[in-house]
mmCIF file of all heavy atoms in Angstrom:
data_model
loop_
_atom_site.group_PDB
_atom_site.id
_atom_site.type_symbol
_atom_site.label_atom_id
_atom_site.label_comp_id
_atom_site.label_asym_id
_atom_site.label_seq_id
_atom_site.Cartn_x
_atom_site.Cartn_y
_atom_site.Cartn_z
ATOM 1 N N GLY Q 756 -84.071 167.976 46.459
ATOM 2 C CA GLY Q 756 -83.098 167.990 45.388
ATOM 3 C C GLY Q 756 -82.931 166.594 44.795
ATOM 4 O O GLY Q 756 -83.927 165.948 44.476
ATOM 5 N N ARG Q 757 -81.717 166.086 44.762
ATOM 6 C CA ARG Q 757 -81.451 164.762 44.240
ATOM 7 C C ARG Q 757 -81.521 163.674 45.300
ATOM 8 O O ARG Q 757 -81.372 162.516 45.011
ATOM 9 C CB ARG Q 757 -80.080 164.718 43.513
ATOM 10 C CG ARG Q 757 -79.978 165.644 42.353
ATOM 11 C CD ARG Q 757 -78.652 165.523 41.709
ATOM 12 N NE ARG Q 757 -78.482 166.466 40.592
ATOM 13 C CZ ARG Q 757 -77.366 166.549 39.857
ATOM 14 N NH1 ARG Q 757 -76.329 165.748 40.116
ATOM 15 N NH2 ARG Q 757 -77.291 167.404 38.882
ATOM 16 N N GLU Q 758 -81.691 164.071 46.533
ATOM 17 C CA GLU Q 758 -81.624 163.129 47.641
ATOM 18 C C GLU Q 758 -83.021 162.610 48.026
ATOM 19 O O GLU Q 758 -83.986 163.388 48.140
ATOM 20 C CB GLU Q 758 -80.997 163.811 48.888
ATOM 21 C CG GLU Q 758 -80.783 162.894 50.060
ATOM 22 C CD GLU Q 758 -79.629 161.973 49.854
ATOM 23 O OE1 GLU Q 758 -78.459 162.455 49.798
ATOM 24 O OE2 GLU Q 758 -79.846 160.761 49.755
ATOM 25 N N THR Q 759 -83.141 161.319 48.178
ATOM 26 C CA THR Q 759 -84.382 160.685 48.648
ATOM 27 C C THR Q 759 -84.310 160.619 50.170
ATOM 28 O O THR Q 759 -83.279 160.279 50.745
ATOM 29 C CB THR Q 759 -84.518 159.260 48.063
ATOM 30 O OG1 THR Q 759 -84.504 159.329 46.654
ATOM 31 C CG2 THR Q 759 -85.859 158.635 48.509
ATOM 32 N N LEU Q 760 -85.406 160.948 50.815
ATOM 33 C CA LEU Q 760 -85.486 161.007 52.260
ATOM 34 C C LEU Q 760 -86.604 160.066 52.748
ATOM 35 O O LEU Q 760 -87.590 159.815 52.061
ATOM 36 C CB LEU Q 760 -85.807 162.423 52.743
ATOM 37 C CG LEU Q 760 -84.933 163.539 52.186
ATOM 38 C CD1 LEU Q 760 -85.513 164.872 52.598
ATOM 39 C CD2 LEU Q 760 -83.533 163.410 52.701
ATOM 40 N N PHE Q 761 -86.433 159.523 53.959
ATOM 41 C CA PHE Q 761 -87.407 158.607 54.537
ATOM 42 C C PHE Q 761 -87.722 159.063 55.959
ATOM 43 O O PHE Q 761 -86.843 159.455 56.729
ATOM 44 C CB PHE Q 761 -86.922 157.179 54.566
ATOM 45 C CG PHE Q 761 -86.778 156.594 53.197
ATOM 46 C CD1 PHE Q 761 -85.595 156.654 52.486
ATOM 47 C CD2 PHE Q 761 -87.880 155.972 52.594
ATOM 48 C CE1 PHE Q 761 -85.469 156.142 51.217
ATOM 49 C CE2 PHE Q 761 -87.750 155.416 51.322
ATOM 50 C CZ PHE Q 761 -86.555 155.506 50.610
ATOM 51 N N SER Q 762 -89.017 158.997 56.319
ATOM 52 C CA SER Q 762 -89.455 159.335 57.678
ATOM 53 C C SER Q 762 -90.507 158.343 58.109
ATOM 54 O O SER Q 762 -91.162 157.691 57.263
ATOM 55 C CB SER Q 762 -89.999 160.767 57.753
ATOM 56 O OG SER Q 762 -91.048 160.935 56.798
ATOM 57 N N LEU Q 763 -90.679 158.222 59.416
ATOM 58 C CA LEU Q 763 -91.709 157.337 59.946
ATOM 59 C C LEU Q 763 -93.089 157.956 59.704
ATOM 60 O O LEU Q 763 -93.264 159.147 59.888
ATOM 61 C CB LEU Q 763 -91.519 157.132 61.464
ATOM 62 C CG LEU Q 763 -90.417 156.151 61.890
ATOM 63 C CD1 LEU Q 763 -90.139 156.319 63.371
ATOM 64 C CD2 LEU Q 763 -90.756 154.734 61.527
ATOM 65 N N THR Q 764 -94.028 157.102 59.317
ATOM 66 C CA THR Q 764 -95.435 157.570 59.256
ATOM 67 C C THR Q 764 -96.006 157.522 60.672
ATOM 68 O O THR Q 764 -95.421 157.018 61.598
ATOM 69 C CB THR Q 764 -96.241 156.660 58.347
ATOM 70 O OG1 THR Q 764 -96.195 155.333 58.923
ATOM 71 C CG2 THR Q 764 -95.673 156.591 56.955
ATOM 72 N N GLU Q 765 -97.221 158.023 60.800
ATOM 73 C CA GLU Q 765 -97.909 157.938 62.102
ATOM 74 C C GLU Q 765 -98.104 156.461 62.475
ATOM 75 O O GLU Q 765 -97.909 156.045 63.616
ATOM 76 C CB GLU Q 765 -99.277 158.624 62.011
ATOM 77 C CG GLU Q 765 -100.015 158.662 63.326
ATOM 78 C CD GLU Q 765 -101.345 159.440 63.220
ATOM 79 O OE1 GLU Q 765 -101.492 160.238 62.250
ATOM 80 O OE2 GLU Q 765 -102.193 159.265 64.097
ATOM 81 N N HIS Q 766 -98.450 155.634 61.466
ATOM 82 C CA HIS Q 766 -98.630 154.186 61.704
ATOM 83 C C HIS Q 766 -97.272 153.565 62.110
ATOM 84 O O HIS Q 766 -97.209 152.786 63.057
ATOM 85 C CB HIS Q 766 -99.176 153.511 60.443
ATOM 86 C CG HIS Q 766 -99.072 152.037 60.439
ATOM 87 N ND1 HIS Q 766 -99.777 151.268 61.351
ATOM 88 C CD2 HIS Q 766 -98.379 151.178 59.662
ATOM 89 C CE1 HIS Q 766 -99.475 149.967 61.116
ATOM 90 N NE2 HIS Q 766 -98.652 149.904 60.109
ATOM 91 N N GLY Q 767 -96.210 153.920 61.402
ATOM 92 C CA GLY Q 767 -94.892 153.405 61.731
ATOM 93 C C GLY Q 767 -94.437 153.756 63.120
ATOM 94 O O GLY Q 767 -93.861 152.912 63.840
ATOM 95 N N SER Q 768 -94.666 154.983 63.497
ATOM 96 C CA SER Q 768 -94.295 155.429 64.860
ATOM 97 C C SER Q 768 -95.074 154.637 65.937
ATOM 98 O O SER Q 768 -94.554 154.231 66.934
ATOM 99 C CB SER Q 768 -94.579 156.908 65.042
ATOM 100 O OG SER Q 768 -93.761 157.685 64.199
ATOM 101 N N ALA Q 769 -96.368 154.393 65.637
ATOM 102 C CA ALA Q 769 -97.198 153.628 66.602
ATOM 103 C C ALA Q 769 -96.681 152.192 66.763
ATOM 104 O O ALA Q 769 -96.602 151.638 67.851
ATOM 105 C CB ALA Q 769 -98.654 153.658 66.133
ATOM 106 N N VAL Q 770 -96.326 151.591 65.598
ATOM 107 C CA VAL Q 770 -95.802 150.214 65.635
ATOM 108 C C VAL Q 770 -94.561 150.140 66.494
ATOM 109 O O VAL Q 770 -94.373 149.243 67.309
ATOM 110 C CB VAL Q 770 -95.563 149.720 64.204
ATOM 111 C CG1 VAL Q 770 -94.782 148.393 64.207
ATOM 112 C CG2 VAL Q 770 -96.866 149.558 63.455
ATOM 113 N N LEU Q 771 -93.621 151.068 66.246
ATOM 114 C CA LEU Q 771 -92.355 151.023 66.990
ATOM 115 C C LEU Q 771 -92.535 151.356 68.470
ATOM 116 O O LEU Q 771 -91.865 150.791 69.336
ATOM 117 C CB LEU Q 771 -91.349 151.958 66.363
ATOM 118 C CG LEU Q 771 -90.902 151.592 64.929
ATOM 119 C CD1 LEU Q 771 -89.881 152.563 64.389
ATOM 120 C CD2 LEU Q 771 -90.299 150.159 64.904
ATOM 121 N N ARG Q 772 -93.440 152.256 68.758
ATOM 122 C CA ARG Q 772 -93.653 152.615 70.183
ATOM 123 C C ARG Q 772 -94.274 151.443 70.943
ATOM 124 O O ARG Q 772 -94.092 151.357 72.156
ATOM 125 C CB ARG Q 772 -94.566 153.859 70.274
ATOM 126 C CG ARG Q 772 -93.782 155.155 69.916
ATOM 127 C CD ARG Q 772 -94.495 156.368 70.415
ATOM 128 N NE ARG Q 772 -93.716 157.594 70.064
ATOM 129 C CZ ARG Q 772 -93.994 158.371 69.053
ATOM 130 N NH1 ARG Q 772 -95.049 158.094 68.264
ATOM 131 N NH2 ARG Q 772 -93.240 159.413 68.764
ATOM 132 N N GLU Q 773 -95.063 150.627 70.267
ATOM 133 C CA GLU Q 773 -95.643 149.457 70.926
ATOM 134 C C GLU Q 773 -94.563 148.557 71.502
ATOM 135 O O GLU Q 773 -94.789 147.930 72.542
ATOM 136 C CB GLU Q 773 -96.504 148.663 69.916
ATOM 137 C CG GLU Q 773 -97.848 149.257 69.643
ATOM 138 C CD GLU Q 773 -98.630 148.420 68.618
ATOM 139 O OE1 GLU Q 773 -98.192 147.280 68.325
ATOM 140 O OE2 GLU Q 773 -99.648 148.910 68.151
ATOM 141 N N ALA Q 774 -93.433 148.505 70.853
ATOM 142 C CA ALA Q 774 -92.334 147.627 71.282
ATOM 143 C C ALA Q 774 -91.461 148.275 72.342
ATOM 144 O O ALA Q 774 -90.674 147.571 72.989
ATOM 145 C CB ALA Q 774 -91.533 147.190 70.096
#
Side-chain angles (χ1 to χ4, degrees):
R757 298 182 182 180
E758 185 75 66
T759 304
L760 309 171
F761 292 92
S762 56
L763 284 168
T764 62
E765 184 177 342
H766 167 63
S768 295
V770 169
L771 293 181
R772 286 197 179 101
E773 281 178 13

